[in-house]
Amino acid sequence: MNGRQRAIGMPPQETALLSIQGITKVYGRASMFGGNSKAIAVRGVDLNLKRGQTLGIVGESGCGKSTLSRIISGITPPTSGNVYLEGEPVIDGSTREQRKRLRDVQMVFQSPAGSLDPRMRIGAIVAEPLDIHRTDLSSAEKRRLVSEIMARVGLNDSFLERYPHQLSGGQQQRVGIARALITNPKVVICDEAVSALDVSVQAQIINLLLDIQKDSGVSYIFISHDLSVVASIADEIAVMYMGQIVEEGPANTILSDPAHPYTKVLIESAFVPDPRIEKNRVRAAAVEAAPGTTQPSEGCLYRPRCRHAIAPCEMITPDLLSVGPEGRVAACHNEQSSGASQAIASGR
Ligand code: ADP
Ligand code: MG
């Protein structure tokens, strides 16, 4: 295939711990004037997460990140597609075996305050997943596990009797992480988990997540609208736009040599050392990236906002294709046509 390979519809990688295949989510909306409209929140997403690694997912608000994370963790059913953990489908939580597998995929949410029951003490909040998934344990064993995991996230036993409102935002998020980790999951999905925190606290939480990963080998799906946050933790990065993955690959390659015009805009708005230039660039990027752009009925979804659109972009939806030797894929006609000429020039 001229050095290029289709990335879509591929079987799960043998090395993948978690494989997301063809996930689509369509929400039906009842209109106040009668009738129904449909919103496609996620469009045919294929992704693989390797054991012990972090897959970052980045994209602006409303592009479908939370919907995808809720589907992966089994909270929301997809319209089509499935998620495989160690080769077994996990979507349908109806059987006991599948529930057991869902224990292996836990979530940390954006708003720690909102996701911790204000009437429960911290000790009970952290122990809750054990009450559901580890009914075989005695109370003493549960207390020991709670104490251990609290220490792991940097909170001593004096926190166990407190209520969520008595903790700072960073401490609350440590509790959210402890609760997610207590069942010893294989995958933790962090959906905007540090977005509500101050920058210095964000860095502490990210360092904590990295330390825990080094010790335990847990894999993360780390979701944020902020590319600089994703860049600080991810091994692989997937860029999402209007429910689609438009570029995916090793974090270093994506950050140093982005292929998709939308990734380039995200990078321009995230990394500029001079604050004056940054102010202008962020504004310029924000104008180009303003949400609410009308969705084209055919061709590339990003075309109305794209500086580099060429003729095929109007008619043909670009597939996610390999654009370089580093295992990177991008859905862009422009990049693919230059990638093809590079491949031919280099004799591939
Ligand atoms: P993100 O997390 O990237 O901000 P979401 O997954 O929350 O994006 O939303 C993606 C799209 O799906 C948005 O257009 C949103 O309005 C729509 N959406 C999300 N949840 C629902 C729902 N329960 N019902 C209808 N539409 C929804
Ligand atoms: Mg979200």
Side-chain angles (χ1 to χ4, degrees):
M1 222 185 281
N2 210 8
R4 298 192 290 159
Q5 252 190 337
R6 281 177 72 89
I8 48 174
M10 287 171 88
Q13 285 177 10
E14 277 184 19
T15 51
L17 168 67
L18 186 91
S19 185
I20 299 159
Q21 286 187 43
I23 291 289
T24 291
K25 180 69 185 182
V26 183
Y27 289 111
R29 285 186 184 142
S31 156
M32 60 192 287
F33 305 108
N36 282 305
S37 64
K38 283 184 175 168
I40 308 176
V42 178
R43 298 162 193 265
V45 166
D46 294 319
L47 286 171
N48 288 303
L49 172 66
K50 293 188 191 117
R51 208 176 283 274
Q53 292 217 337
T54 300
L55 170 66
I57 302 179
V58 67
E60 69 205 25
S61 176
C63 73
K65 305 181 297 298
S66 292
T67 302
L68 183 62
S69 72
R70 287 197 303 271
I71 290 169
I72 298 168
S73 62
I75 299 170
T76 301
T79 307
S80 57
N82 212 324
V83 177
Y84 298 82
L85 183 66
E86 295 176 321
E88 301 289 331
V90 298
I91 287 301
D92 178 2
S94 58
T95 67
R96 203 165 149 262
E97 180 59 20
Q98 279 165 332
R99 266 206 304 279
K100 201 174 96 213
R101 272 187 229 114
L102 284 179
R103 183 183 80 192
D104 292 330
V105 182
Q106 292 292 322
M107 285 202 63
V108 178
F109 297 94
Q110 169 169 12
S111 159
S115 63
L116 306 179
D117 187 334
R119 295 157 305 175
M120 282 171 73
R121 292 180 199 271
I122 300 302
I125 290 174
V126 174
E128 208 176 20
L130 293 179
D131 298 335
I132 301 166
H133 295 295
R134 295 297 309 272
T135 43
D136 56 312
L137 296 178
S138 69
S139 304
E141 284 168 324
K142 284 182 192 168
R143 271 199 302 277
R144 184 181 57 77
L145 285 178
V146 169
S147 207
E148 265 177 33
I149 200 73
M150 287 288 280
R152 186 66 197 84
V153 300
L155 299 174
N156 62 34
D157 281 354
S158 74
F159 284 90
L160 296 175
E161 295 302 312
R162 299 190 203 173
Y163 288 94
H165 76 270
Q166 296 173 304
L167 275 59
S168 69
Q171 289 165 343
Q172 287 172 348
Q173 202 53 303
R174 285 171 194 267
V175 171
I177 293 168
R179 180 177 58 180
L181 287 172
I182 198 152
T183 56
N184 204 14
K186 296 186 170 116
V187 179
V188 174
I189 305 175
C190 302
D191 185 5
E192 303 278 7
V194 300
S195 303
L197 305 174
D198 292 344
V199 173
S200 61
V201 184
Q202 281 188 352
Q204 289 166 13
I205 297 292
I206 285 176
N207 286 336
L208 174 67
L209 289 169
L210 286 168
D211 280 351
I212 289 169
Q213 185 172 58
K214 213 160 82 190
D215 293 350
S216 67
V218 67
S219 306
Y220 297 130
I221 295 181
F222 190 90
I223 295 172
S224 177
H225 67 282
D226 184 342
L227 181 60
S228 58
V229 172
V230 170
S232 65
I233 191 166
D235 299 294
E236 300 256 330
I237 293 180
V239 180
M240 213 169 162
Y241 181 77
M242 282 192 174
Q244 269 180 334
I245 303 299
V246 294
E247 180 161 9
E248 199 268 325
N252 287 343
T253 314
I254 301 273
L255 297 167
S256 62
D257 182 25
H260 196 281
Y262 179 57
T263 315
K264 291 176 188 170
V265 167
L266 290 180
I267 288 179
E268 273 174 29
S269 59
F271 303 104
V272 181
D274 183 326
R276 288 161 305 168
I277 300 171
E278 181 168 31
K279 204 167 136 214
N280 292 334
R281 289 225 193 163
V282 170
R283 204 180 300 132
V287 169
E288 188 182 32
T293 314
T294 6
Q295 187 181 312
S297 53
E298 56 187 356
C300 172
L301 290 175
Y302 188 64
R303 174 176 50 87
R305 286 157 63 169
C306 187
R307 285 177 280 190
H308 310 285
I310 52 177
C313 309
E314 274 186 39
M315 307 294 291
I316 306 162
T317 305
D319 282 339
L320 205 47
L321 299 178
S322 172
V323 288
E326 312 89 351
R328 183 179 29 156
V329 289
C332 175
H333 290 305
N334 205 334
E335 187 62 34
Q336 284 158 12
S337 52
S338 60
S341 41
Q342 274 167 22
I344 291 163
S346 66
R348 277 183 291 128

